[in-house]
Each structure stands twice: as C-alpha cells, then as structure tokens.
C-alpha cells in the first residue's frame, strides 16, 4: 500500500481511540489542500507503537489496556495520579518550575526571562506525557482540557519554520543549533514522544501537528548532513521521538532521520569546535566510536542509554544485523560489568573513560563500583529500564524483563519520596555523615528535594510509574506475555484481533504468589508466557491446580492450550531472603553482601540502629536468621527483613590503625527496602554490609 507524508494542518479524520474492538490497522483518508492522500493509519496505541514493526517479537499492548488494581504498583500509580502529577504540575506551571512560563514568554504572552536549564522544555513535555498515561486510565477530561490550553501556548511559541526550544527563542543573542550543549534535540525528542502519546490517547492532532512541523524542520536542517551539524544529536531522545513519529504517521523520512543520527556519530575527528564549547567531548557523548563498532558502554549514562534505546527502536524497523549485535554487546557490558545490584547505572559524578576522555555523571571502568560516590542519576536508571523494555520486545528474552523489574523496584523508585513530592537526583548505595563530607559528591543533596533546578529526573520517574501498566504485558505472535507482576486487569486484543480479558491478583513483590484468571478469550489455542525471574528458583506453575512441568528461571514459561473463561494460572515464586555478593573484581564490596528478597534490594539505615551508630560499624552475620515481616504501617506498607546484626565498637578514625580482634555487640533490628531510604529523617545508609561467616 502506498504510504505518503501528510500535511496535518488539514488532517480531518481521527481514528477513534475508545473502541477497543477495532482492528489494529486501517486506512484513513487525509485531505490535503491540493490532493487527497490515503495513508495507513495505525490504530494501535502502545507506549512504543511497535504493532507493525517487523523485527519485534513482543508487541505493545495499548495504553490503558492494563490497569493496576491492587497492591504495590496500584498504590504507586494512585500516588502518581493523586499526588505526584498534580504537585509537579503546580511546580512546573508556577514560578518555581517556570516550565510553562518559558513557553508563555516564548509565545509573547508573558514578559520575562527564560528560567531553568536548556533542557527544561523537554522535562515539561515529560510531565505532559505522564498526564496522558494517567488520563488513559482515569478519563478525567480536565486533564485533556488543561493539555489543550498548554498545547495552544506551545503552538504559539513555535517559530514559523517549526523551530521550538524556548531558551533560544526567548534570548536574541544565540542562534539555533549553534552549540549542542543547548540540548535542542533533547527537547525535540520529548516533544515528539509526548505528542505521539497525546495523539494515541486522545485521538487529537493539535500536539501532533506541532511535533510534525518541528520534525519537518529537523529533517530539512539535518538530512543534507551539513558539516557544522554533524556532531549534534547529543542527549539523544530525538531518535526515539522520530521513530515514534514514523510509527504514528508512517512517513519514512522520520525513520531515515532517526537512523542518520546513529550513522553520524563517531565519523569525525574528536576535537573541540564551535558547536562543542563548554561540555566534554569524545566518549562523554558517545562520539569516539561509531555505534556499530562500539564494545563498551561509555560516557554520560543518560546520554548513552537514550542512544541505545533509540538504536533499539531503529532496529525494530530496519532489522539491521550490525545494530542488534552492537545492542547485545552494549547490553551485556552494562548489565554484566557496570550495573549496580539495584539496577542503577553511571558509577561516577566525575571521571575518565577507559579511552581517557573526561566523563561526567557516567560510566567508568568495568567492575569499578563505588558505593558512597556512586552517581546513579535517577534518569540513567530509568533509561536502563527503557532500554531493557525495548530489548525485551526485540528478543523476547526474559532477562531483559528482569532488569526492567530490578530498576522499577529499586533504583527507579528511590528517586522519589514515599509521599511523592521530594526527589533525589543521584542514588548512591551508601551514605555516611561526618568527617568525610561526601554529601556534595554523591547524593547531590543529602535529602530529597521538593524541587530540583535540573528537573530531568522527577518527570521521568513519574511518567515511568504512570506508564508502568503498559509495560506489564506484551503481545506475542499468538498470545500474551506477562512481564510484570502485581494486581491488575488486562483487557486487550491479541495480534489476530480477538479479545482477551484477564485478572491478575498478587501482593507482589511482598508475596511471590500470582493468580491469573482468564475472564474472556478466543476458543482457539493461544499461549500465555510468564516471566520466571532468574532469581525465582523453585518456582511452581499450575493451571487449574494441575502442575506445569519444566519451569526454568531466567526464561518465559510457555503455556499453550485452549483457554476458557475461568481458567486459573497460579505461579508461586519462592521469596527467600538472599545474600548477594559481587564479582571478585569489584573491590569496593569485597567481603560484603547485599540482602535481596525477590526483586527488592534492602538497606540498613540509621533509623533502625542505636543512636550514634555509624553505618560503617554494622556487620551482618552469615548464620543469623533473615526474617521477612510485612508491616502495613511502615514506609507506605513494606516487607522488612528482621535479623541480628553485629555493631563494632572500637573502630578508630585514623587512616590506618592497628587491629587485633574487634569488639562487637549484637543488636536485633530490621533492614528496609532500598527505595524507601531517607524517608524517616536524615541519617546514614548502606546496601552492602560486611559479613561475618560463622
Ligand atoms: Zn535526570
């Protein structure tokens, strides 16, 4: 079928977004001023709309198809709806956040100066995107009305040629695309992604028209490959945004441009020029080695993982072997050599790459995993889950799902307070107070902050919580894959268009029992795929009480049969408390262990220690019981791990001290989930603790 670009200013037909029985692809007539164009209009509404992507094994469910109903993620989602998002909106629309003000000023509707960093527009778009995920479930029309008002202002801020980045529009002393540190393409990426999501959820085109006009501007600017722009594509959200726009419009030039941003990287001499002044170059921005030749994850962790996620999106469409080989290599390098036990990435605030380029907020050497000075930006951790979600869809390999889950339950959620209003930028694995004064090195802030001037992380995390139901399931060729566990309802169509409804009941991650009831399905056989996490050894699976053999941790368990309404799948994952140790090459955690139960990593905090105890004096015993206890009234309802620890009483402050047999006292206390740390006042914290094996 012929697919043509569309002038969306005269886009008059909208595909209905509420009728779930519609087929996934249909033709839509678009009237152009001069001619009538028919294009394929994809009716699917996934977070990443890969329904027609030829190189994807697990396809997205539509946004809104799954809703959390009970338990852990339902609580988090509800907090996002009731607290996180409204609070963030108040910040961003007011004078503190100034995000909306910037658009109003750029639109000529308000006097004033731009405030916030160069990438503030992008972070505002993320909040808008999060609002759409919430609307897809709660259908609160006020959200759409508010978005319409904001979109009108954004439209007025957009320049006649399609350019849109408010810090540059407001200032008259800077030319567009004169220095890549202005993050214009980061703003572009979030604009395109947010507009696609808005279109998919509401069926409206007002935001999409702005994104298309902007993307056309980018295409005109970049497709001739002018020499002075070859090093742009810096904080690369535009690759994901362009692919999503291609998927929305079927206009191949957006995919072509997305691929060009990958192809341009690493094809030039690495030296400072006019476009790079004021920011590190080389490995810091992944420009030293072409993507297809890279063997190591380097540079700023957020930049790297947005880049990889974008490359995964391009591969989903092109199927180019060199791309997936590089993606696999980089995934392995990140997850096997440079990732924390919490799923966090980006070991350092400042450092050098193995090729000796200056690095900020990023990757350093393999196995070099400091605890106190770990940077682990919340965005980087979320980008790791975004990358893994994409790899899961490409490969169907459950190990990618394990990492996604690890981030979600640990280094993602640690970025926000239980209440939902305070944010961490970095997520170290240990914090100590006092003489060493690490506060400014590791956590940026000792406590979570109600507003961060660099506001990239908060809306990134809130949009992730808001879209998490969309990650919970995928569609396989003839069935459903269960990626995440938690109480929810799913109502969707299989890829053949037949309806399926199911209910998942679970108190995961506090309990490993999952019950999935088929409420409605086709009568022909289809498969249910259940992710059995690699840690879930001894998992038991049954259908209607009859055991299923061969459940292998670290894979999807496949049950193919004629399902009928009322069929019940039961999965029981043993939730043993486990010690986790690191590879011998990780010097920073030699003779130490982390404590993990299911996907949740635990930590020791000052609030659970005798007053005045230093976290560095705490030891765990290899032989004492580790007892999980659920507490509804603790930290929003969590399972803690009760155990006897040892506290050393004679540690000296000198740099090196003579030691004989240390003096230890026993103390009974509990560890709390890592993501809940620093919700009970200021104190010290550690994930890894020295262990005494008796
Ligand atoms: Zn961030």
């Amino acid at each position: 079928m012929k697919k043509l670009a569309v002038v969306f200013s005269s886009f008059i037909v909208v595909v209905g977004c509420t009728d779930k029985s519609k087929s996934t692809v249909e033709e839509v007539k678009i009237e152009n001023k001069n001619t009538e164009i028919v294009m394929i209009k994809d009716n699917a509404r996934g977070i990443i709309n890969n329904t027609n992507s030829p190189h994807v094994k697990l396809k997205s469910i539509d946004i809104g198809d799954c809703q959390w109903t009970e338990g852990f993620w339902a609580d988090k989602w509800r907090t996002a709806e009731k607290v996180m998002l409204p609070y963030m909106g108040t910040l961003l629309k007011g004078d503190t956040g100034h995000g909306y003000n910037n658009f109003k000023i750029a639109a000529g509707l308000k006097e004033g100066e731009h405030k916030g960093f160069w990438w503030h527009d992008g972070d505002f778009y993320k909040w808008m995107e999060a609002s759409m995920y919430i609307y897809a479930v709660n259908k609160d029309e006020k959200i759409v009305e508010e978005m319409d008002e904001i979109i009108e202002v954004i439209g007025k801020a957009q320049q006649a040629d399609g350019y849109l980045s408010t810090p540059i529009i407001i200032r008259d002393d800077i030319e567009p695309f004169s220095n890549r540190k202005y993050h214009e393409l980061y703003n572009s990426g979030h604009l395109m992604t947010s507009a696609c999501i808005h279109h998919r959820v509401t069926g409206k085109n007002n935001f999409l028209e702005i994104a298309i006009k902007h993307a056309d501007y980018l295409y005109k600017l970049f497709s001739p490959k002018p020499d002075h722009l070859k090093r742009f594509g810096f904080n690369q959200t535009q690759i994901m945004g362009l692919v999503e726009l291609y998927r929305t419009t079927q206009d191949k030039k957006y995919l072509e441009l997305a691929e060009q941003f990958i192809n341009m990287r690493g094809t030039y001499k690495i030296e400072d020029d006019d476009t790079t002044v004021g920011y590190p170059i080389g490995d810091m921005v992944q420009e030293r080695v072409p993507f297809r030749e890279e063997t190591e994850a380097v540079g700023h962790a957020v930049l790297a993982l947005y880049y990889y996620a974008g490359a995964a999106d391009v591969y989903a469409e092109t199927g180019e072997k060199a791309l997936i080989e590089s993606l696999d290599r980089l995934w392995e390098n990140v997850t096997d050599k440079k990732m924390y036990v919490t799923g966090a990435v980006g070991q350092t605030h400042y450092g050098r790459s193995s090729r000796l380029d200056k690095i900020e907020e990023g990757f350093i050497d393999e196995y070099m995993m400091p605890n106190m000075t770990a940077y682990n930006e919340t965005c980087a951790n979320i980008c790791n889950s975004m990358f893994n979600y994409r790899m899961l869809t490409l490969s169907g390999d459950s190990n990618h799902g394990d990492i996604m889950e690890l981030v979600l339950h640990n280094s993602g959620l640690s970025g926000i307070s239980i209440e939902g209003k305070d944010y961490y930028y970095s997520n170290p694995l240990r914090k100590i107070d006092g003489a060493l004064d690490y506060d400014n090195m590791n956590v940026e802030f000792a406590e979570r902050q109600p507003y961060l001037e660099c506001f990239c992380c908060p809306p990134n995390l809130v949009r992730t919580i808001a879209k998490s139901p969309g990650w919970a399931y995928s569609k396989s060729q003839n069935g459903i894959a269960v990626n995440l566990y938690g109480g929810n309802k799913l109502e969707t169509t299989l890829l053949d268009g037949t309806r399926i409804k199911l209910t998942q009941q679970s108190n995961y991650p506090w309990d490993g029992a999952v019950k999935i009831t088929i409420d409605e399905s086709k009568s022909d056989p289809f498969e249910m795929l259940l992710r059995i996490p690699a840690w879930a050894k001894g998992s038991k699976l049954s259908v209607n009480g009859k055991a299923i053999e061969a459940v292998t941790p670290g894979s999807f368990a496949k049950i193919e049969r004629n399902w009928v309404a009322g069929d019940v799948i039961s999965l029981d994952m043993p939730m043993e408390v486990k010690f986790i140790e690191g590879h011998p090459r990780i010097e920073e955690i030699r003779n130490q262990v982390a404590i993990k139960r299911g996907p949740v990593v635990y930590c020791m905090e000052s609030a659970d220690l005798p007053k005045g105890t230093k976290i560095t004096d705490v030891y765990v015993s290899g032989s004492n019981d580790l007892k999980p206890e659920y507490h509804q009234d603790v930290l929003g309802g969590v399972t803690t791990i009760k155990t006897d620890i040892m506290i050393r009483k004679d540690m000296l402050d000198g740099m090196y001290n003579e030691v004989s047999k240390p003096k230890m006292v026993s103390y009974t206390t509990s560890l709390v989930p890592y993501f809940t740390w620093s919700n009970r006042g200021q104190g010290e914290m550690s994930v890894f603790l020295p262990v005494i094996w008796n």
Side-chain angles (χ1 to χ4, degrees):
M1 189 156 313
K2 209 172 176 191
K3 302 168 196 174
L4 293 168
V6 173
V7 177
F8 269 76
S9 55
S10 54
F11 190 165
I12 56 159
V13 182
V14 178
V15 177
C17 276
T18 51
D19 183 356
K20 287 182 184 294
S21 65
K22 284 200 172 188
S23 64
T24 53
V25 179
E26 63 184 53
E27 285 181 5
V28 176
K29 283 186 178 179
I30 309 293
E31 277 190 7
N32 186 276
K33 281 176 189 135
N34 306 315
T35 181
E36 186 179 276
I37 302 168
V38 176
M39 75 168 195
I40 290 179
K41 183 75 187 89
D42 187 344
N43 190 25
R45 301 179 303 278
I47 293 165
I48 54 173
N49 190 358
N50 53 19
T51 302
N52 296 317
S53 307
H55 305 281
V56 169
K57 292 200 172 94
L58 296 176
K59 312 257 170 143
S60 302
I61 57 167
D62 286 353
I63 302 160
D65 280 359
C66 174
Q67 303 185 11
W68 298 118
T69 51
E70 59 175 15
F72 186 83
W73 286 109
D75 289 349
K76 297 295 169 205
W77 196 93
R78 227 167 279 130
T79 307
E81 178 194 23
K82 302 290 184 201
V83 182
M84 295 175 189
L85 210 69
Y87 171 74
M88 191 175 285
T90 308
L91 281 180
L92 287 173
K93 289 179 291 171
D95 293 334
T96 306
H98 212 264
Y100 195 22
N101 285 348
N102 289 335
F103 284 103
K104 286 181 180 167
I105 296 164
L109 301 169
K110 190 179 169 79
E111 294 283 316
E113 292 178 349
H114 181 273
K115 284 188 190 163
F117 285 96
W118 300 104
W119 48 91
H120 208 43
D121 290 1
D123 300 332
F124 188 77
Y125 296 137
K126 277 186 236 168
W127 168 75
M128 293 177 73
E129 186 189 336
S131 303
M132 284 299 99
Y133 299 129
I134 299 291
Y135 168 75
V137 172
N138 76 7
K139 301 290 181 198
D140 179 354
E141 292 300 328
K142 285 199 201 80
I143 297 176
V144 178
E145 286 164 22
E146 183 182 30
M147 290 302 127
D148 281 345
E149 197 182 304
I150 292 169
I151 290 162
E152 198 178 331
V153 173
I154 294 172
K156 283 181 181 157
Q158 187 172 33
Q159 305 294 279
D161 61 1
Y163 182 82
L164 184 52
S165 204
T166 66
I168 311 290
I169 294 170
I170 292 170
R171 293 172 62 151
D172 51 17
D173 58 338
I174 296 177
E175 287 297 311
F177 291 99
S178 52
N179 188 319
R180 62 184 183 179
K181 77 174 178 184
Y182 299 149
H183 282 72
E184 285 144 301
L185 286 168
Y186 173 88
N187 291 337
S188 301
H190 285 298
L191 165 66
M192 292 184 279
T193 300
S194 193
C196 286
I197 298 297
H198 178 265
H199 169 76
R200 285 171 199 166
V201 171
T202 65
K204 287 171 173 255
N205 296 318
N206 45 351
F207 204 9
L208 190 62
E209 285 170 10
I210 294 169
I212 287 172
K213 186 174 168 184
H214 181 68
D216 290 347
Y217 163 86
L218 292 181
Y219 186 80
K220 206 168 148 192
L221 188 67
F222 281 93
S223 64
K225 304 186 182 80
D227 207 43
H228 73 288
L229 293 177
K230 67 191 173 200
R231 297 178 76 173
F232 280 78
F234 166 77
N235 194 345
Q236 309 231 52
T237 64
Q238 84 282 0
I239 301 176
M240 285 180 285
L242 282 162
V243 174
E244 228 46 70
L245 199 60
Y246 158 69
R247 288 165 171 168
T248 304
T249 64
Q250 298 290 319
D251 188 335
K252 278 204 163 162
K253 71 172 184 276
Y254 303 130
L255 177 62
E256 184 194 313
L257 186 58
E259 197 172 8
Q260 188 182 312
F261 279 112
I262 297 170
N263 298 346
M264 282 194 299
R265 220 94 196 116
T267 58
Y268 40 80
K269 200 169 177 190
I270 307 300
E271 56 187 12
D272 261 319
D273 63 29
D274 289 353
T275 66
T276 67
V277 176
Y279 212 87
I281 59 174
D283 279 340
M284 169 69 174
V285 296
Q286 299 83 36
E287 64 177 348
R288 187 144 313 264
V289 178
F291 186 85
R292 294 167 182 82
E293 294 166 28
E294 186 56 284
T295 54
E296 188 185 358
V298 293
H300 194 289
V302 175
L303 274 57
L305 286 156
Y306 275 144
Y307 184 26
Y308 305 165
D313 284 344
V314 170
Y315 171 80
E317 304 303 326
T318 65
E320 186 197 334
K321 198 164 166 268
L323 272 187
I324 193 66
E325 284 173 354
S326 192
L327 283 163
D328 284 338
R329 268 198 314 273
L330 292 166
W331 180 83
E332 210 172 304
N333 188 248
V334 171
T335 57
D336 276 358
K337 308 275 193 325
K338 301 194 177 191
M339 188 179 78
Y340 284 90
V341 72
T342 56
V345 286
Q347 303 112 297
T348 192
H349 197 164
Y350 303 107
R352 292 269 168 192
S353 70
S354 57
R355 293 182 284 249
L356 301 182
D357 284 328
K358 186 182 173 192
I359 301 299
E360 292 178 5
E361 307 180 353
F363 293 110
I364 45 176
D365 291 5
E366 295 171 352
Y367 299 116
M368 195 183 279
M369 311 296 292
N371 292 303
M372 280 187 275
T373 58
Y375 198 71
N376 294 346
E377 180 181 341
T378 305
C379 277
N381 310 338
I382 290 165
C383 290
N384 192 25
S385 65
M386 291 169 69
F387 174 44
N388 273 283
Y389 175 60
R390 283 163 169 78
M391 293 300 281
L392 172 71
T393 68
L394 298 180
S395 66
D397 178 347
S398 73
N399 289 301
H400 298 122
D402 287 5
I403 306 287
M404 198 174 101
E405 173 183 76
L406 183 71
V407 173
L408 286 176
H409 287 89
N410 299 288
S411 53
L413 276 186
S414 56
I416 197 160
S417 61
I418 301 290
E419 189 197 4
K421 293 184 177 177
D422 299 294
Y423 317 109
Y424 265 146
Y425 193 83
S426 23
N427 299 275
L429 277 75
R430 181 175 297 152
K431 175 174 174 273
I432 66 168
D433 295 331
L436 291 176
D437 190 22
Y438 273 106
D439 286 356
N440 292 326
M441 284 184 68
N442 55 2
V443 291
E444 294 268 357
F445 315 98
E447 287 181 278
R448 291 186 186 84
Q449 301 292 302
Y451 180 70
L452 303 175
E453 195 188 355
C454 176
F455 205 66
C456 52
C457 301
N460 214 4
L461 180 50
V462 172
R463 75 170 173 157
T464 304
I465 297 167
K467 74 182 170 189
S468 58
W471 281 1
Y473 295 94
S474 299
K475 302 179 189 184
S476 66
Q477 195 53 42
N478 182 30
I480 291 288
V482 188
N483 303 323
L484 295 176
Y485 297 110
N488 65 57
K489 277 188 180 294
L490 174 71
E491 186 177 348
T492 190
T493 53
L494 298 181
L495 288 178
D496 63 9
T498 58
R499 280 162 64 83
I500 178 164
K501 280 168 77 172
L502 56 84
T503 304
Q504 185 180 153
Q505 292 164 282
S506 180
N507 194 26
Y508 193 85
W510 312 129
D511 190 321
V514 174
K515 182 179 161 191
I516 296 172
T517 307
I518 306 291
D519 300 318
E520 184 185 329
S521 74
K522 66 176 178 180
S523 52
D524 295 338
F526 68 94
E527 65 190 16
M528 290 293 298
L529 301 166
L530 284 90
R531 182 178 60 86
I532 311 297
W535 53 260
K537 293 175 183 74
S539 289
K540 290 190 169 56
L541 186 60
S542 65
V543 175
N544 301 332
K546 198 177 166 206
I548 304 286
E549 299 298 320
V551 177
T552 312
S555 69
F556 276 100
K558 179 177 168 180
I559 316 171
E560 187 169 13
R561 53 179 270 145
N562 285 89
W563 298 93
V564 295
D567 280 347
V568 174
I569 303 168
S570 299
L571 172 63
D572 195 5
M573 292 172 273
M575 285 286 182
E576 290 161 27
V577 185
K578 293 173 180 171
F579 285 137
I580 307 292
E581 65 177 354
H583 188 284
R585 278 188 59 194
I586 312 176
E587 288 186 80
E588 293 88 341
I589 53 169
R590 289 287 291 150
N591 303 318
Q592 297 168 56
V593 290
I595 289 170
K596 195 172 173 223
R597 180 172 181 266
V600 178
V601 176
Y602 283 78
C603 69
M604 188 82 248
E605 248 199 313
S606 292
D608 301 305
L609 293 170
K611 207 166 187 304
T613 304
K614 290 180 180 174
I615 204 79
T616 44
D617 285 340
V618 174
Y619 291 66
V620 286
S621 164
S623 57
N624 287 345
D625 281 349
L626 297 160
K627 193 178 163 207
E629 290 180 339
Y630 183 74
H631 301 279
Q632 184 62 48
D633 54 346
V634 173
L635 295 162
V638 295
T639 293
T640 60
I641 307 294
K642 191 174 178 184
T643 189
D644 288 338
I645 57 164
M646 307 294 286
I647 300 173
R648 187 169 168 185
K649 290 293 186 185
D650 60 350
M651 189 76 197
L652 299 172
D653 274 345
M655 188 150 177
Y656 301 103
N657 306 296
E658 289 179 13
V659 64
S660 52
K661 189 172 180 186
K663 192 178 157 199
M664 299 280 199
V665 296
S666 179
Y667 185 73
T668 304
T669 186
S670 294
L671 293 99
V672 295
Y674 168 73
F675 77 83
T676 67
W677 88 278
S678 195
N679 274 280
R680 297 175 294 170
Q682 275 271 45
E684 299 188 333
M685 177 278 293
S686 188
V687 169
F688 280 97
L689 297 166
V691 61
I692 301 167
W693 303 103
N694 294 319

